[in-house]
Amino acid sequence: MLYAVLSGFVLAILAPWIFQAAKEKTGWFLAILPASLAVYFSTFLADVRELNLEEIYTGLDLRAVAGEGGFAWADHADKVAALRDQLVQHEYAWIPSLDVSLTMHLDGLSLLFALLITCIGTFILIYGGGYLKGDRDIPRFYVFLLAFLASMLGLVLSDNLIAMFVFWELTSITSFMLIGYYHDNEKYRKCAHQSMMVTVGGGLAMFAGLILLAMITGSYSLTEILAIGYNNPEAITEHPLYVPMLILILAGCFTKSAQVPFHFWLPNAMAGPTPVSAFLHSATMVKAGVYLMARLQPALNDGYIWMIVLPVVGAITMFTGMYFALRSGGYKQVLAYSTIMALGVLTMLVGIGTEYAMKAFAVFLLAHAMYKATLFMVAGIVDHETGTKDLTVLRGLRTKMPVTFYAAILAALSLGGFIPFFGFVGKELMFGAVLDANYVSAFVVALAMATAIMGVAVAFILGLRPFLGELNETPKAPHEAPLSMLLGPVVLSTMGLVTFFALSLVDEGILQSVITAVYGVGAPGDFEIQWWHGFTDPALIMSVVSIILGVVVYLKWDQIREWMNKLEPVYDHGPEWVYNKAMYRGLPLVANRQTRFIQNGYLRNYIITILMTLVVFVGYAFVTRYMAEDPSFAFTLDIEFYHVLVVGVMLGAALFAATTPSRLGAVASTGVVGFTVALIYILFSAPDLGITQMLVETLTVILLVLVLFRLPEFVTLSSRGERIRDIIVALLVGALITVLLLVTGQYEFHDPNIYGGASISQGHIDGSVPLAHGRNIVNVILVDYRTLDTLGEIFVLALAAMGVYAMVKFRATDDEEVEL
């Protein structure tokens, strides 16, 4: 299964060469891969249908596994392996040391998404070849579309949280390239940039949330996390990190799935070509956030935050999307806002979390994918063949584009929830779910009813208005689209009708498996979906009322839209206005000020910042951890009088170097410091180090003298206050390093895995001859034990030597001044 995901990336690399050979037929050839993958994934339908997730997960009693230190997965490896074998189809250890693996997790939810991605992707590749025929950049379109398709498959099939996040971000990057396809247009580039900034920003927050989730559960595996959700959900929902974890994960889901207040990027993403919009906004990118919420629902739905925030945010998003769809005049803009509506519905249903809501979720997810992909492709056909997508202008296209009209009306009726279309089943179940909601029921019912009324009007605006009436003049003479552009809309719209009559087959084939995976309780066969519950069914009554009122709204659309547009000043100061202010004004302002403050061009300020950061953080850790554990600690010092004498000479020389106005005097006193260090080495029985120190110090002094005697005397460039500040910083750093060295010298560290458990210092001595074949311990440490560190020092010395050589060779002309 991993190869199925990776095959999309391989084909994306080969796409430009395939285009060179196949030209206009490239889309048909490339569509073979997703079509083959759809067939491949369909072979798992029977296996997924037989999965009893509740039985599988409860087979591992995690209440016995959980302890104060977390979940002891290693102590129950046999049970975990048996559990994973029933769900995981392929596992490849990508980065074992970090517990990151490319593991494929397959159940009803991931399988449905995989089928939608590959089936709709097949039609989009064919459709894109016709839509972009003759475009110079069409090979680039194929590359990024295939890479996006593969990324989406990786996202919905990944069992490992980190791997899933990698694919998540790949969808953001590839969608950015697709939305910005017309990169010559500055406005379109800005729209692509906006979509990427919002989704990637949310993705980073989600990444932090996923890490917290792994910290809570002790695992990066979704299989193991969901097992906890089935057996011991309070271990997650009652954990102190639950709230921040949930907020961060929802931030990523809400931004990706365009929930209020992050919804504004999605309509602007219509800047991409229509095939991109049809694929990204029907069943793939924008549903990634919905997928993750549904995937984690069994593990996180016991918390009140989940059960209140998701229904409320989803309901507000649902209403907002359809409201703005009703006031928009562009074909793709109306579709974009209606997509926001659908995403809000799905989020709301996941949050409600009841059995009825999960049924509605599964049906609505499938129905929306079919009718929304169709309507986007219809919008592209209309624009492509008439030269405009303005719904206020388009009329009478039925006679010129009959096949397009067929696809449009079927998809629109499914969107409006008319019988006998699959969208009707989703709408009925959605009404039943909000009526059965445990929390904020009245609120979500009111918004659901208002949304349904506007949804009927929008369905007629999309499916009827452009095709009925007298033919209006358009920039291009209307005509029917080629087969490549009609195939997808006709098949998908027809499926919206067929699935209604074959509801029992679809239900048993995939939907019950989806419900089981999302609901977290029960087994396939427990969730039979029925569309008819009698004439007195409240959901049916709400549906009929919404259709009647929706027709009225459609008939009065021009007047209603004119009234709604009077509130334009209010719309202009919404979330997008805040984003633009923050991104294009606030961010540059903050960046400019922090750059002026932090990166001010003064090396001494950089050094002070680094040193004070060291003092604050290391000093804080020392006081709160070391001293708190042992408040009565003391240093054991064996001091002789000559130690004091040597250190006194060193301190005097250092003080003289810091205060003398003579460069030569400063160099000489610095040399004295170096020679006293060599003397300390000798006093502590390290004559080889002392000799090395003396040679290096002598060479350094000579080089410095050669350079510095050419420069003028010191000039006072700092104020008295700055010098006092520098003295304080120097004393703090010196005191900290001294204390740390004294404390370190009190301990011997032992590693039982090396040197037979001996101390590190003794281990170096014992391993000098057998491991490094050297008897000089110091040399062995420098050349063998610390090889890379020594190599780095050599590079530093080489760079310093080049700098010194450049300064020695420098000759100032008579007209030049040496700058200090």
Side-chain angles (χ1 to χ4, degrees):
M1 189 173 293
L2 176 62
Y3 299 122
V5 174
L6 298 179
S7 64
F9 293 110
V10 174
L11 188 60
I13 296 172
L14 300 176
W17 286 276
I18 296 175
F19 178 80
Q20 292 296 323
K23 300 297 181 183
E24 297 176 358
K25 301 297 182 182
T26 301
W28 293 90
F29 283 102
L30 295 179
I32 295 174
L33 176 66
S36 301
L37 292 178
V39 174
Y40 167 72
F41 285 119
S42 65
T43 62
F44 292 98
L45 286 170
D47 296 334
V48 168
R49 192 162 56 245
E50 295 175 0
L51 285 177
N52 188 324
L53 297 179
E54 184 175 11
E55 180 180 331
I56 293 172
Y57 285 129
T58 53
L60 179 59
D61 186 4
L62 294 176
R63 288 182 175 84
V65 181
E68 294 183 0
F71 292 89
W73 296 106
D75 298 338
H76 299 264
D78 53 341
K79 292 184 178 181
V80 174
L83 164 69
R84 294 169 65 84
D85 287 343
Q86 298 182 66
L87 288 170
V88 175
Q89 299 296 323
H90 183 89
E91 184 170 4
Y92 173 76
W94 185 16
I95 311 176
S97 60
L98 298 179
D99 196 21
V100 179
S101 63
L102 293 175
T103 307
M104 301 293 105
H105 174 111
L106 193 68
D107 59 9
L109 180 64
S110 55
L111 181 58
L112 176 59
F113 267 93
L115 289 172
L116 289 176
I117 292 165
T118 52
C119 290
I120 296 178
T122 300
F123 294 123
I124 293 299
L125 281 166
I126 297 171
Y127 178 89
Y131 185 88
L132 296 172
K133 180 180 178 180
D135 192 287
R136 67 175 186 179
D137 293 326
I138 191 171
R140 180 160 55 86
F141 164 79
Y142 288 131
V143 169
F144 289 114
L145 190 71
L146 286 166
F148 174 82
L149 185 149
S151 301
M152 276 301 306
L153 282 177
L155 191 159
V156 300
L157 293 173
S158 291
D159 180 70
N160 186 273
L161 292 179
I162 304 300
M164 184 192 69
F165 172 75
V166 171
F167 286 115
W168 180 288
E169 292 302 273
L170 282 175
T171 63
S172 296
I173 295 170
T174 50
S175 65
F176 165 75
M177 302 303 297
L178 289 168
I179 294 170
Y181 179 79
Y182 299 119
H183 54 84
D184 294 334
N185 188 305
E186 182 181 358
K187 179 181 177 182
Y188 292 173
R189 292 199 306 270
K190 184 178 179 181
C191 292
H193 177 268
Q194 183 186 81
S195 69
M196 183 174 180
M197 292 300 295
V198 174
T199 57
V200 170
L204 292 175
M206 185 196 74
F207 183 52
L210 294 178
I211 293 176
L212 291 180
L213 179 59
M215 292 172 60
I216 293 172
T217 60
S219 174
Y220 283 99
S221 169
L222 279 169
T223 301
E224 295 169 0
I225 292 171
L226 292 177
I228 296 175
Y230 274 87
N231 292 274
N232 193 15
E234 59 273 11
I236 299 176
T237 56
E238 295 180 6
H239 196 279
L241 295 177
Y242 172 74
V243 173
M245 176 270 295
L246 183 60
I247 292 173
L248 291 168
I249 290 179
L250 290 182
C253 295
F254 286 176
T255 52
K256 196 78 163 184
S257 290
Q259 300 297 295
V260 171
F262 308 107
H263 64 286
F264 56 87
W265 71 264
L266 197 151
N268 293 330
M270 297 300 108
T274 301
V276 172
S277 303
F279 196 38
L280 269 61
H281 303 139
S282 60
T284 54
M285 176 186 171
V286 294
K287 287 202 173 98
V290 171
Y291 165 79
L292 183 57
M293 288 186 284
R295 170 59 69 210
L296 296 176
Q297 204 271 152
L300 304 182
N301 70 339
D302 275 2
Y304 286 106
I305 298 177
W306 179 276
M307 293 186 288
I308 294 177
V309 171
L310 264 66
V312 170
V313 172
I316 294 174
T317 302
M318 169 184 67
F319 176 81
T320 301
M322 198 52 79
Y323 175 86
F324 281 98
L326 194 63
R327 70 172 286 269
S328 300
Y331 217 132
K332 287 178 67 175
Q333 288 296 111
V334 174
L335 287 170
Y337 282 114
S338 67
T339 299
I340 293 174
M341 175 277 299
L343 297 172
V345 170
L346 293 169
T347 300
M348 176 185 69
L349 294 173
V350 171
I352 292 174
T354 61
E355 176 184 339
Y356 220 95
M358 296 303 98
K359 291 181 179 180
F361 173 86
V363 174
F364 199 92
L365 177 68
L366 179 57
H368 175 261
M370 291 188 293
Y371 71 66
K372 189 53 60 69
T374 298
L375 288 172
F376 266 115
M377 287 188 274
V378 166
I381 291 172
V382 171
D383 183 27
H384 194 271
E385 309 305 340
T386 66
T388 182
K389 47 182 176 284
D390 189 349
L391 290 168
T392 62
V393 174
L394 292 167
R395 292 288 190 283
L397 298 178
R398 182 184 75 257
T399 57
K400 300 293 184 180
M401 308 171 70
V403 180
T404 304
F405 174 58
Y406 164 83
I409 190 62
L410 262 62
L413 291 175
S414 187
L415 165 62
F418 286 83
I419 196 171
F421 293 92
F422 200 56
F424 168 79
V425 183
K427 184 177 178 180
E428 289 288 291
L429 292 172
M430 184 270 289
F431 279 140
V434 297
L435 289 170
D436 192 38
N438 294 326
Y439 300 96
V440 293
S441 178
F443 177 77
V444 296
V445 167
L447 291 186
M449 188 64 189
T451 301
I453 294 170
M454 293 185 289
V456 172
V458 167
F460 285 148
I461 292 168
L462 294 169
L464 287 180
R465 186 180 175 96
F467 299 95
L468 301 182
E470 295 183 4
L471 183 64
N472 280 353
E473 183 179 353
T474 55
K476 295 169 59 177
H479 57 279
E480 195 58 271
L483 175 62
S484 60
M485 297 178 67
L486 290 172
L487 180 62
V490 170
V491 172
L492 291 174
S493 61
T494 304
M495 288 300 297
L497 180 63
V498 172
T499 48
F500 176 83
F501 293 104
L503 178 60
S504 59
L505 294 177
V506 179
D507 183 26
E508 295 176 5
I510 186 65
L511 293 182
Q512 290 200 28
S513 300
V514 176
I515 298 167
T516 303
V518 180
Y519 190 34
V521 177
D526 297 343
F527 306 106
E528 183 181 359
I529 296 176
Q530 297 178 348
W531 66 270
W532 180 254
H533 300 86
F535 289 104
T536 58
D537 180 26
L540 178 63
I541 296 172
M542 294 176 67
S543 183
V544 172
V545 172
S546 68
I547 290 174
I548 295 173
L549 296 179
V551 171
V552 175
V553 172
Y554 167 69
L555 296 175
K556 298 291 184 180
W557 181 55
D558 290 322
Q559 297 93 317
I560 293 175
R561 183 168 173 271
E562 181 180 353
W563 174 82
M564 295 171 78
N565 287 333
K566 291 181 180 179
L567 300 175
E568 193 72 32
V570 178
Y571 308 141
D572 290 342
H573 289 79
E576 185 175 9
W577 177 82
V578 175
Y579 169 85
N580 289 332
K581 287 287 186 181
M583 181 59 61
Y584 299 110
R585 291 191 180 182
L587 187 60
L589 180 63
V590 172
N592 181 58
R593 291 187 176 179
Q594 69 89 18
T595 301
R596 289 177 179 272
F597 177 74
I598 299 176
Q599 300 177 350
N600 45 44
Y602 291 100
L603 182 60
R604 60 178 178 272
N605 290 343
Y606 299 163
I607 295 175
I608 289 175
T609 302
I610 295 171
L611 294 178
M612 288 307 299
T613 302
L614 173 70
V615 169
V616 171
F617 286 101
V618 177
Y620 173 80
F622 177 77
V623 172
T624 57
R625 296 189 180 185
Y626 181 82
M627 293 185 65
E629 294 176 2
D630 186 13
S632 61
F633 77 96
F635 303 122
T636 302
L637 301 176
D638 185 12
I639 301 176
E640 301 292 343
F641 76 95
Y642 50 83
H643 295 159
V644 178
L645 180 63
V646 172
V647 171
V649 173
M650 180 188 298
L651 291 176
L655 182 62
F656 181 80
T659 56
T660 180
S662 169
R663 292 184 186 276
L664 189 59
V667 172
S669 57
T670 304
V672 173
V673 173
F675 287 121
T676 53
V677 170
L679 184 57
I680 290 175
Y681 287 148
I682 295 172
L683 290 175
F684 285 90
S685 303
D688 50 351
L689 281 179
I691 295 172
T692 303
Q693 175 70 21
M694 291 177 65
L695 292 174
V696 171
E697 198 63 42
T698 302
L699 179 61
T700 302
V701 170
I702 293 173
L703 291 175
L704 288 174
V705 169
L706 289 174
V707 173
L708 298 180
F709 85 94
R710 300 175 180 274
L711 300 178
E713 295 292 322
F714 283 123
V715 177
T716 302
L717 299 175
S718 58
S719 65
R720 179 180 178 84
E722 290 174 331
R723 290 193 293 276
I724 294 175
R725 176 202 63 189
D726 295 344
I727 292 172
I728 294 173
V729 171
L731 291 174
L732 288 173
V733 174
L736 175 67
I737 300 301
T738 301
V739 170
L740 289 178
L741 289 174
L742 290 174
V743 170
T744 304
Q746 307 300 310
Y747 297 94
E748 285 190 350
F749 296 95
H750 300 263
D751 189 336
N753 298 319
I754 59 175
Y755 308 133
S759 66
I760 294 176
S761 57
Q762 187 61 45
H764 282 174
I765 296 172
D766 296 341
S768 177
V769 174
L771 296 179
H773 307 287
R775 297 185 181 278
N776 188 314
I777 307 300
V778 175
N779 288 349
V780 168
I781 291 174
L782 293 175
V783 178
D784 292 277
Y785 295 146
R786 295 177 51 206
T787 303
L788 295 178
D789 184 56
T790 304
L791 181 63
E793 293 176 354
I794 293 173
F795 278 121
V796 170
L797 289 174
L799 291 174
M802 288 188 285
V804 170
Y805 177 77
M807 295 184 69
V808 170
K809 298 296 291 184
F810 175 74
R811 292 290 188 275
T813 63
D814 295 338
D815 297 330
E816 292 178 332
E817 293 183 359
V818 178
E819 295 184 1
L820 298 180

